[in-house]
Amino acid sequence: MPGERDPGPIILFDGVCNLCQASVRFILAHDRDAVFRFAALDSDIGRGLTADGLLEDLSVDSVILVEGGASDVRSEAILRIAARLGLPWRGLAGLRILPLRLRDGAYDLLARNRYRWFGRREICPAPDGDFRDRFLT
């Protein structure tokens, strides 16, 4: 929209998944430049971005990175996020040399089992006060 500030890269995540919540906390702790913004997939922002047709093959099992009118999902999203976190996490981007099918296969295995292995919450918790401005609703 004209006049609106570009929120920068947005990470869409499963708000009730304990693993996803831990991942968001990890990113917040290591995102030194406060580049990333966050929204739960089932939030108004998440639903709005997916309804705009920006995202194809949306799956609640996917972490999604939305930036500059494009999106990445699954392992590619994770590697692009890691590349922006600085050292040593930036080194994970080197995993792009692995075939996408192999990377996404590992991602899918974890995604299918994340509730069983890490648990889930009934609702997406409110963001911590220090980071509240980084969450879009």
Side-chain angles (χ1 to χ4, degrees), residues 14 16-18 60-61 110-121:
D14 179 351
V16 297
C17 167
N18 286 339
V60 77
D61 290 343
L110 183 62
R112 274 192 309 273
N113 293 290
R114 71 189 185 283
Y115 294 144
R116 185 171 8 149
W117 294 345
F118 300 98
R120 66 178 287 157
R121 299 166 188 244

Side-chain angles (χ1 to χ4, degrees), residues 7-126:
I10 301 170
I11 298 172
L12 299 178
F13 65 98
D14 179 351
V16 297
C17 167
N18 286 339
L19 174 62
C20 303
Q21 287 288 328
S23 299
V24 167
R25 287 190 303 273
F26 178 87
I27 294 166
L28 285 167
H30 294 90
D31 181 12
R32 295 181 190 124
D33 297 326
V35 172
F36 294 108
R37 303 293 177 260
F38 303 86
L41 279 164
D42 64 350
S43 69
D44 290 341
I45 293 286
R47 285 190 300 271
L49 286 170
T50 58
D52 286 345
L54 178 61
L55 307 172
E56 297 177 18
D57 302 324
L58 174 68
S59 169
V60 77
D61 290 343
S62 295
V63 62
I64 301 169
L65 177 63
V66 179
E67 183 174 17
S71 62
D72 289 296
V73 297
R74 300 160 67 194
S75 68
E76 189 61 25
I78 289 171
L79 295 180
R80 287 198 55 216
I81 293 166
R84 305 271 301 261
L85 293 182
L87 292 174
W89 313 111
R90 178 182 332 191
L92 292 174
L95 292 173
R96 281 192 176 125
I97 65 169
L98 296 174
L100 181 63
R101 186 177 175 133
L102 178 65
R103 288 188 281 135
D104 280 350
Y107 180 95
D108 290 343
L109 175 67
L110 183 62
R112 274 192 309 273
N113 293 290
R114 71 189 185 283
Y115 294 144
R116 185 171 8 149
W117 294 345
F118 300 98
R120 66 178 287 157
R121 299 166 188 244
E122 290 301 313
I123 59 169
C124 181

